[in-house]
């Protein structure tokens, strides 16, 4: 039997379980980002040094303990779903787009958002003002935009198959299905 036309690797129960984990992790990432945006907005707009410090310290707590585990769980569960189901990782443009955006936002969380929040906490804890409102606003805004976009394409599944997806579909139609 041709491996390009084989059935998905995940059974129905496993696929559903991984899908539930993926949806919960993705929704958690979106919710954490909304929380970060609210805290960043508070830190950037309040006149109270106590509120600024509380906001950035809470952002640090989210960034240090929750964001990366949720990001990695979203990435891992998405990979398992794509590789273990008929959607495939490189068969549909929307799946490829989600994969690369998830990878990019995970990297941005680790290498831009967390360091920006840490810089803000260090400055504010030392008694100084918030050094740059962009450190606490830009990351959550970009992330939120990416997550909303990924949610929309997950629901709408636009753009059709990739070149590889079209080729695999044509091969599946040509080869006789064995029972």
């Amino acid at each position: 039997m041709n491996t390009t036309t084989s059935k998905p690797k995940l059974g129905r129960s496993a696929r559903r379980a991984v899908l539930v984990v993926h949806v919960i992790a993705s929704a958690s990432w979106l919710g954490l980002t909304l929380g970060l945006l609210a805290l960043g907005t508070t830190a950037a707009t309040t006149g109270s040094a106590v509120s600024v410090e509380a906001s950035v310290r809470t952002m640090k707590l989210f960034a240090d303990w929750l964001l990366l585990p949720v990001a990695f769980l979203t990435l891992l569960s998405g990979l398992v779903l794509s590789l273990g189901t008929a959607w495939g990782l490189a068969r549909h443009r929307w799946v490829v787009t989600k994969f690369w955006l998830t990878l990019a936002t995970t990297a941005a969380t680790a290498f831009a958002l967390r360091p920006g929040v840490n810089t803000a906490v260090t400055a504010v804890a030392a008694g100084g003002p918030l050094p740059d409102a962009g450190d606490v606003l830009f990351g959550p805004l970009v992330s939120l935009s990416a997550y909303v976009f990924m949610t929309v394409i997950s629901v709408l599944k636009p753009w059709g198959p990739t070149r590889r997806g079209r080729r695999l579909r044509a091969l599946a139609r040509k080869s006789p299905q064995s029972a």
Side-chain angles (χ1 to χ4, degrees), residues 153-168:
I153 65 174
S154 293
V155 172
L156 300 179
K157 298 172 180 45
W159 309 315
T162 61
R163 183 179 306 161
R164 179 178 188 272
R166 288 190 301 273
R167 184 176 44 82
L168 291 173

Side-chain angles (χ1 to χ4, degrees), residues 5 7 10 13 16-17 23 54 66 71 81 85 90 95 125 136-137 172 175:
T5 60
K7 291 187 179 187
L10 289 176
S13 296
R16 289 175 132 191
V23 170
L66 297 173
L81 279 172
T85 66
V95 176
V136 295
L137 288 174
S175 68

Side-chain angles (χ1 to χ4, degrees), residues 72-164:
F72 285 122
L73 184 58
T74 301
L75 182 62
L76 179 64
S77 60
L79 274 172
V80 170
L81 279 172
S82 66
L83 296 174
T85 66
W87 289 111
L89 183 58
R91 292 182 182 190
H92 296 85
R93 289 185 182 118
W94 70 271
V95 176
V96 173
T97 301
K98 275 189 66 178
F99 170 73
W100 286 109
L101 276 174
T102 301
L103 201 58
T105 53
T106 299
T109 295
F111 301 114
L113 189 141
R114 288 183 72 221
V117 168
N118 288 336
T119 299
V121 168
T122 301
V124 170
L130 186 65
D132 182 6
D135 285 344
V136 295
L137 288 174
F138 185 69
L141 278 171
V142 170
S143 297
L144 181 61
S145 300
Y147 306 148
V148 168
F149 177 72
M150 287 188 276
T151 301
V152 169
I153 65 174
S154 293
V155 172
L156 300 179
K157 298 172 180 45
W159 309 315
T162 61
R163 183 179 306 161
R164 179 178 188 272

Side-chain angles (χ1 to χ4, degrees), residues 2 4-5 167-177:
N2 186 342
T4 60
T5 60
R167 184 176 44 82
L168 291 173
R169 187 180 292 165
L171 284 172
R173 286 184 189 136
K174 288 180 184 177
S175 68
Q177 296 295 322

